[in-house]
Amino acid sequence: MDLGNQAVSRRTLLRGASILGMGAGLTGLLAACGVAAEKDDASGGTTRSGGTLTLAIDGTSAINDPAFYTTLGDWMVVDCVCRGLTFISFETNEPVADLAESWTISDDQLTYTFKLRQGVTFHDGTTFTSADVLATLNRQFDANDKTLPKGASQTLKAIGDNMTSFTAPDANTVVMVLKKPDRTLLGRLSDIGGRIISKAALTKYGADIGKNLVGTGPFKFVSATSGQNVTLAAFDGFYKGKPPIDRLVLQQVTDPSTIVSSLLSGDVSATQFTPYSALEQLKGDKSVTVYDTPKSFDAFMMMDVRRIPELNVRKAINLAIDRQALITQAFFGAAVLPDGYTIPPNQDAYDATLADISKTDIAEAKRLITEAGATGRTVRLMAASDSWHPKAAQLIAQNLTDIGLKVETDSVDPATYFNRLLTPDDKFHDLMIWERNGYYPDADDMIGSLAKPSGVYGDFISGFTTLDGAAAYSDMLFEAKNIADATARKARYSEIAREWADKYMTLSMLVCASNPVVSGAKVTNMNWKALGNHRCFMETASV
């Protein structure tokens, strides 16, 4: 495991109104801490076993369901409690076997036959079989599944839409037959939505499974309190062996100063929600390790074409952005220019020849605004009130003022922000600052989602689906993700990106940034690269 040191589809989409910020009072946090025992290893060194590892998270609704998104922290719990058919470590981007021990793919790329790992046990004592796979994934594919909670987010629904049949010939085999080839299937199954749940637990708890999650993962559910924390215990029966730590606590800590002080005091073992402004301070303190977290998420501004219908005005807005100022003042250096447009530099399809799409050219921006007769026009900009978003909104508002626009801004409570993004009638729906993290590290999960004319981005947020020619992008993106040759695949994604930006410009890339992972200096063997993508694989970590 690569353990380098030295330094959000996604931060929170929905944060329930009940989720409360945690201030300076640390009573709950201190109660979560534990001490590990030391033992000599075979090489004469010292390793640590037992104890509690505490992760600071963005929030918890105490609902942990792979088919229902609430907070990043809640889905981190799903990662710890459940496993999928496939697994991506983020130390590499390749899917490997997990609950599926092996698979075969037919010559026509339509039939996937998965042989399941035998001898795997759920936390409720039941044996893992094909029935659990069918029960779990069908609730991702079928909007009418009775175990789905209201407002379910079926992240794998597109797989179901492309499926002719999904069957289990026997207890140790499942077969998926697709309508069209999908070379991203194995990677997609590693996503949160592909985490397998005990069928017995689904039958028992139904739509309340998120409060009673049962998986085969390295940690089992103990307790959860909305707005406070989730406590998990090491699972003795994990098929890869019991984790070194005894307990994993995911603690809601939303106050930036509390995150920093808790890391320094050891009350928090690790987090990827480190305030950007504190990174230099933390790098100079030997009590913590600041990891060189990959610049893996897209920070961008969506433009609603129903509000800003002129292409040249949207292009002018894109040209006005001072991205270097954003890197320095909003991200404190923990970001890079978006030279690959929507593909971050840690992904295979990254193409730096697209850098000109995100260039800054104030003179050209002013010319386009004047030519469009938009000088003095009022545009409205909204952003969430947490993390880097407020400073970015302030800088962008000044950038747009400098090219002749008038700007009204709205700083929005994160608890309500996503719902406002989905409301085209919202007063401030002209320009919207947001971000996308790759839960599955592939171009299909970045531009494949952002340029898709249907769904959250292409429909509700930008209105891209209303423009002539937009519908063709669904087929173009599907074709691109299924190109077998990596070089040709990258080239096709680059062609799509350039055409999409030139013809439509509904998305202005701001930067590619990191979710900066910091841990206590005594935390070892933690998969920090996954944590920097909001994936939580703590089965090898020690404190």
Side-chain angles (χ1 to χ4, degrees):
M1 182 175 290
D2 183 1
L3 292 174
N5 52 35
Q6 292 288 69
V8 170
S9 144
R10 297 173 287 196
R11 282 182 191 265
T12 306
L13 301 185
L14 290 172
R15 298 183 190 178
S18 64
I19 295 177
L20 305 175
M22 182 175 178
L26 291 176
T27 304
L29 190 56
L30 290 169
C33 297
V35 178
E38 294 186 350
K39 64 179 180 180
D40 292 335
D41 64 22
S43 64
T46 300
T47 60
R48 297 174 69 83
S49 63
T52 297
L53 191 152
T54 301
L55 296 173
I57 59 173
D58 59 331
T60 177
S61 68
I63 299 174
N64 313 117
D65 184 339
F68 185 73
Y69 184 84
T70 51
T71 69
L72 291 167
D74 285 336
W75 266 7
M76 288 165 65
V77 172
V78 175
D79 252 344
C80 296
V81 173
C82 302
R83 302 293 282 201
L85 295 179
T86 63
F87 181 80
I88 293 178
S89 69
F90 288 84
E91 292 169 328
T92 75
N93 290 344
E94 294 302 314
V96 298
D98 198 1
L99 292 182
E101 193 170 52
S102 64
W103 52 80
T104 57
I105 306 172
S106 62
D107 291 342
D108 63 5
Q109 303 288 311
L110 294 177
T111 302
Y112 286 69
T113 302
F114 295 90
K115 290 297 180 182
L116 305 183
R117 193 175 299 277
Q118 298 183 45
V120 176
T121 304
F122 282 101
H123 303 156
D124 60 5
T126 59
T127 300
F128 166 65
T129 71
S130 58
D132 303 293
V133 179
L134 263 60
T136 297
L137 295 185
N138 275 329
R139 66 195 300 264
Q140 289 283 345
F141 305 154
D142 181 5
N144 297 315
D145 189 289
K146 294 181 180 179
T147 69
L148 286 175
K150 184 178 180 181
S153 46
Q154 296 170 288
T155 59
L156 300 187
K157 188 176 185 302
I159 294 177
D161 291 343
N162 186 40
M163 195 173 292
T164 298
S165 65
F166 182 34
T167 58
D170 57 56
N172 301 314
T173 309
V174 293
V175 180
M176 295 182 178
V177 180
L178 308 181
K179 299 174 183 176
K180 297 180 181 179
D182 182 357
R183 291 182 181 273
T184 67
L185 178 64
L186 296 176
R188 286 285 181 191
L189 290 173
S190 75
D191 200 348
I192 293 288
R195 294 315 212 199
I196 305 301
I197 304 171
S198 160
K199 181 183 178 182
L202 277 171
T203 300
K204 180 177 180 180
Y205 298 111
D208 286 329
I209 189 65
K211 300 176 183 178
N212 306 275
L213 189 61
V214 178
T216 63
F219 298 94
K220 59 185 178 181
F221 179 80
V222 175
S223 63
T225 302
S226 178
Q228 296 186 29
N229 55 53
V230 180
T231 299
L232 309 176
F235 177 43
D236 292 349
F238 180 48
Y239 85 87
K240 289 190 172 184
K242 181 183 176 182
I245 58 174
D246 292 329
R247 192 167 65 149
L248 179 62
V249 175
L250 294 93
Q251 177 74 48
Q252 177 176 313
V253 190
T254 57
D255 177 66
S257 63
T258 302
I259 292 175
V260 175
S261 63
S262 299
L263 282 166
L264 294 173
S265 68
D267 295 330
V268 162
S269 307
T271 189
Q272 76 275 33
F273 295 101
T274 313
Y276 295 101
S277 59
L279 287 176
E280 286 305 312
Q281 171 196 352
L282 293 170
K283 287 179 185 180
D285 197 301
K286 293 182 180 180
S287 67
V288 297
T289 300
V290 181
Y291 298 86
D292 187 14
T293 317
K295 310 299 188 292
S296 58
F297 83 77
D298 287 350
F300 52 79
M301 182 169 66
M302 298 292 290
M303 306 185 219
D304 191 335
V305 303
R306 294 159 295 204
R307 302 292 187 88
I308 307 175
E310 307 99 326
L311 175 60
N312 279 351
V313 174
R314 300 197 298 272
K315 286 187 173 182
I317 289 170
N318 179 59
L319 289 167
I321 307 301
D322 185 346
R323 294 169 178 85
Q324 197 60 58
L326 289 170
I327 291 171
T328 303
Q329 299 180 47
F331 292 91
F332 294 84
V336 294
L337 293 172
D339 290 346
Y341 196 40
T342 66
I343 308 299
N346 69 317
Q347 293 192 8
D348 295 339
Y350 175 75
D351 182 0
T353 67
L354 299 174
D356 61 289
I357 296 176
S358 303
K359 68 182 179 181
T360 301
D361 188 335
I362 301 301
E364 177 64 6
K366 287 181 176 179
R367 186 188 71 79
L368 290 172
I369 289 294
T370 301
E371 186 179 89
T375 303
R377 179 188 298 183
T378 296
V379 294
R380 296 179 174 88
L381 166 67
M382 67 172 165
S385 59
D386 62 342
S387 189
W388 59 272
H389 308 101
K391 186 62 178 180
Q394 177 188 349
L395 293 170
I396 291 170
Q398 184 60 56
N399 294 157
L400 300 187
T401 299
D402 291 344
I403 64 168
L405 296 171
K406 295 180 180 179
V407 185
E408 294 181 10
T409 62
D410 192 16
S411 184
V412 184
D413 187 327
T416 62
Y417 189 60
F418 184 60
N419 285 334
R420 289 186 61 177
L421 292 178
L422 298 184
T423 308
D425 291 338
D426 189 286
K427 179 180 177 181
F428 285 85
H429 215 263
D430 301 13
L431 304 170
M432 296 147 282
I433 292 174
W434 205 21
E435 63 188 83
R436 182 170 181 84
N437 289 269
Y439 268 59
Y440 154 52
D442 186 84
D444 180 53
D445 201 42
M446 304 305 280
I447 189 171
S449 294
L450 296 169
K452 189 176 181 179
S454 58
V456 171
Y457 300 100
D459 189 351
F460 296 101
I461 298 180
S462 71
F464 172 48
T465 190
T466 66
L467 300 179
D468 289 343
Y473 281 77
S474 289
D475 290 337
M476 291 163 61
L477 291 165
F478 193 89
E479 171 235 338
K481 76 176 183 177
N482 284 301
I483 296 174
D485 180 76
T487 301
R489 188 176 192 260
K490 172 181 174 178
R492 183 58 179 138
Y493 272 122
S494 294
E495 290 172 357
I496 292 171
R498 186 168 292 283
E499 178 184 300
W500 181 49
D502 185 59
K503 288 187 175 181
Y504 301 102
M505 186 45 69
T506 64
L507 182 146
S508 176
M509 275 295 300
L510 304 178
V511 301
C512 292
S514 68
N515 298 301
V517 177
V518 177
S519 76
K522 292 183 178 180
V523 175
T524 60
N525 295 322
M526 179 181 73
N527 188 335
W528 56 271
K529 289 186 177 179
L531 194 60
N533 284 275
H534 299 305
R535 300 303 300 269
C536 191
F537 309 142
M538 293 293 148
E539 53 264 36
T540 60
S542 297
V543 293

